[in-house]
Amino acid sequence: MKKFVLSIACLLTAICGSASKRPAVRLQFDANSGVASTLVMPQGNKVEYTAYTHIYYVTNVEDSTYQYLNVFVPSGATQRTPIFLRTYVGGYMAAAAGAPQAGDATGRAMLEGYVVVIPGTRGRNSTVSRGKKTVYTGRAPKAILDLKAAIRYLRHFDSQMPGDAEKIITDGTSAGGAMSALMGATGNNPAYEPYLKAMGAAEERDDVFASVCYCPITDLEHADMAYEWLYGNTDSRKKADAEHQKVSSELAAAFPAYINSLGLRTPDGKQLTADNYLDFIKCELIASAQAAKDAGAETPDSIGFKFSEAASFGAPPINGGKVQETLGKKLPQGALPKVPGMAHKQVGEYIIDLDMNTYLNYVASKTALKTAPAFDSKGVAGNAASGENEEFGNEKGTSVNFTDYSAAKNGGKVSDEVKRLLPLMNPMTQIGQANVTVAPHWYIRHGSIDRDTAFPIPLNLAMKLQNAGKDVNYLLAWNRPHSGDYALDDLFSWIKKITR
Ligand code: DHB
């Protein structure tokens, strides 16, 4: 009898235990459940708002710690107010649905009067208990599925909630930047449908209006080769042991075929190939540095810049005209004389060249480079698994290779399961697909001293989108490290412009 009572107790604990993880849910929005609150901004000004929190966005909640969203409605918001959806995903890890922060883009969005939505999402580190088992339910592609379900929820209750679900602007940084890019690039793709159906997501569209991506850690299949192609000649790579040097040069050698296969064009319509890609990056860096210099930033020649030796009529050509000829890159606004016949810049004020080797060594001196391979590291040259190896692992918490290169180094192949997941996690593969709705507006930033992924990754994304006819505002932001939600005046004036 005692044993029976004990097992009933165990059963109840098991049921209640799992019930706390799997609440019985139907999708709903209760307009009367809002709680009034105040956000105090850094300057002391206040934003009054109503918070609707802990709203499940799927009916089959697998992880109640993360699978809900919070909505914050500043006073004055209407049905027509754009929605700023911020994901706090970082490191491909789980992110809880929090509150707006005065110091980041969510606080600023509230101040601007936008409805702010913060969905929680499962990630590579999130687990639930199933009986005695610990189950990793947040591995790829769960985070993007959760975010898509959140978007569908917003559409489902669009007429009952303040905010316009046709004007969703997503924002994220790093792995969160990758998530923002995925939200922007994968709208309504039927490939996600079976997963979303099983989760009990609303049957709605999940495309968005605009996507803000700070330093997106994306295109993971090609990020290792891009990294070694860019940084392979730096001093720090030359100091690596022979095995890592070999890995670096093998990966670097694979990048040209990839870049050429993309068939990208610059904003001026010139073909972008492995032969001119480094010049393209150089132009982007010079344009960014020149604009920053004009605004008063320091651009020392010790990091590779060469400056004009004489004041001139207009902008001197970059790299003796060679780069402009190849790529047609225009110098930044303000580089032309204001008064005809009179240069408004003085000797040394125009950047006319950048020694890329010096510059890349400088970037590597700011933050040590990742060891090669930078992303799919598991088991290659004795390297440990990366967060990305975990991201593609399974419910048991495995970590796995996801590139042909690293899988082969381990004597194997990328598994069929991982091959199925990769396109769901890569915005590059979906832009231009017939059955996908890509956001019309994009804001992409990657810091000029950010070495977490190589410059071609955000630049390829920007060019692919622009080539597909999207409105893309992109920049290698001068002197920014791996970070996000900066230059908010610029971001929010862009948002104002696209939502007007
Ligand atoms: C992040 C940074 C990385 O370098 C990386 O490989 C993955 C994610 C991040 O900050 O989110």
Side-chain angles (χ1 to χ4, degrees):
M1 181 63 182
K2 203 167 162 195
K3 202 168 167 193
F4 178 70
V5 171
L6 200 66
S7 48
I8 292 271
C10 287
L11 188 65
L12 281 176
T13 319
I15 291 170
C16 295
S18 70
S20 73
K21 288 290 171 199
R22 283 178 175 270
V25 162
R26 81 188 166 82
L27 296 180
Q28 54 191 330
F29 176 73
D30 178 1
N32 297 317
S33 67
V35 175
S37 196
T38 305
L39 181 69
V40 182
M41 297 299 288
Q43 290 79 21
N45 43 341
K46 291 178 180 163
V47 185
E48 307 295 336
Y49 67 92
T50 308
Y52 303 87
T53 58
H54 225 108
I55 305 172
Y56 294 111
Y57 49 67
V58 288
T59 55
N60 296 326
V61 176
E62 194 165 33
D63 189 338
S64 58
T65 310
Y66 295 111
Q67 289 183 288
Y68 64 85
L69 57 80
N70 295 336
V71 181
F72 305 94
V73 182
S75 61
T78 70
Q79 285 292 329
R80 299 270 63 83
T81 302
I83 298 174
F84 190 79
L85 186 156
R86 171 66 148 96
T87 168
Y88 281 96
V89 169
Y92 283 97
M93 291 196 279
Q101 304 296 309
D104 73 15
T106 54
R108 178 61 180 264
M110 299 280 284
L111 188 65
E112 300 287 339
Y114 300 129
V115 171
V116 168
V117 173
I118 305 177
T121 45
R122 295 167 292 170
R124 66 176 162 93
N125 60 335
S126 61
T127 59
V128 297
S129 301
R130 281 193 201 139
K132 283 191 182 145
K133 275 200 207 137
T134 297
V135 186
Y136 286 81
T137 61
R139 299 301 175 82
K142 297 298 177 58
I144 182 60
L145 295 178
D146 286 351
L147 289 164
K148 280 174 160 300
I151 292 161
R152 288 172 170 216
Y153 173 93
L154 297 176
R155 271 220 172 74
H156 202 60
F157 293 103
D158 197 22
S159 62
Q160 293 165 55
M161 264 172 66
D164 183 355
E166 296 306 324
K167 289 275 159 64
I168 296 176
I169 300 139
T170 65
D171 173 39
T173 296
S174 194
M179 289 301 146
S180 189
L182 281 169
M183 284 188 273
T186 69
N188 312 321
N189 184 343
Y192 298 90
E193 194 57 41
Y195 298 95
L196 288 161
K197 207 177 180 67
M199 290 161 64
E203 286 183 25
E204 299 284 352
R205 288 169 28 230
D206 54 43
D207 56 293
V208 297
F209 179 69
S211 177
V212 177
C213 313
Y214 284 96
C215 52
I217 300 283
T218 195
D219 197 5
L220 296 173
E221 300 95 296
H222 306 103
D224 287 333
M225 52 178 83
Y227 205 88
E228 299 315 316
W229 175 81
L230 188 68
Y231 291 113
N233 291 324
T234 54
D235 296 343
S236 95
R237 281 297 189 255
K238 286 178 191 148
K239 282 187 212 132
D241 62 46
E243 195 179 6
H244 282 94
Q245 282 193 25
K246 184 162 179 278
V247 166
S248 176
S249 57
E250 285 170 352
L251 281 165
F255 184 69
Y258 173 59
I259 196 68
N260 293 340
S261 78
L262 291 176
L264 296 175
R265 291 182 176 274
T266 65
D268 309 81
K270 307 277 188 329
Q271 267 198 338
L272 198 46
T273 66
D275 292 338
N276 62 14
Y277 208 100
L278 199 66
D279 273 349
F280 174 58
I281 296 172
K282 180 200 283 206
C283 284
E284 293 300 331
L285 288 167
I286 290 178
S288 175
Q290 182 75 58
K293 183 174 168 57
D294 292 347
E298 272 209 44
T299 45
D301 52 9
S302 62
I303 63 175
F305 287 118
K306 206 170 138 200
F307 300 96
S308 58
E309 282 166 12
S312 72
F313 252 57
I318 298 173
N319 202 17
K322 205 174 104 249
V323 173
Q324 275 156 317
E325 246 168 56
T326 342
L327 299 166
K329 178 75 195 177
K330 289 187 186 65
L331 278 165
Q333 280 272 315
L336 294 171
K338 279 183 183 139
V339 183
M342 265 183 57
H344 76 284
K345 284 199 199 327
Q346 302 301 308
V347 171
E349 284 188 327
Y350 289 117
I351 301 167
I352 55 166
D353 204 357
L354 176 61
D355 182 281
M356 284 301 283
N357 206 39
T358 307
Y359 186 75
L360 293 169
N361 275 321
Y362 163 69
V363 174
S365 77
K366 300 292 283 182
T367 313
L369 294 178
K370 295 179 173 185
T371 307
F375 296 91
D376 191 359
S377 53
K378 182 182 164 136
V380 182
N383 297 340
S386 64
E388 286 79 4
N389 290 131
E390 288 187 6
E391 174 67 0
F392 288 103
N394 65 20
E395 291 208 334
K396 291 186 178 144
T398 56
S399 54
V400 298
N401 290 122
F402 53 89
T403 61
D404 294 335
Y405 178 84
S406 295
K409 282 276 170 189
N410 282 302
K413 282 192 164 142
V414 176
S415 74
D416 289 345
E417 173 60 12
V418 172
K419 280 213 168 106
R420 270 194 298 277
L421 297 175
L422 284 167
L424 300 176
M425 294 296 290
N426 193 339
M428 292 294 286
T429 61
Q430 308 201 28
I431 301 158
Q433 264 187 38
N435 49 8
V436 177
T437 315
V438 177
H441 302 285
W442 291 77
Y443 186 93
I444 300 172
R445 292 292 181 272
H446 184 97
S448 70
I449 53 169
D450 181 349
R451 70 22 144 187
D452 274 50
T453 196
F455 300 134
I457 299 300
L459 289 176
N460 285 346
L461 178 64
M463 288 308 104
K464 183 143 189 177
L465 288 161
Q466 202 169 63
N467 293 176
K470 306 302 168 191
D471 161 35
V472 187
N473 181 320
Y474 73 98
L475 180 70
L476 295 179
W478 185 245
N479 213 23
R480 296 281 180 187
H482 189 62
S483 56
D485 280 13
Y486 49 71
L488 294 180
D489 286 352
D490 184 70
L491 172 64
F492 281 89
S493 77
W494 178 79
I495 291 175
K496 192 166 275 174
K497 198 178 83 200
I498 60 163
T499 55
R500 204 157 31 216

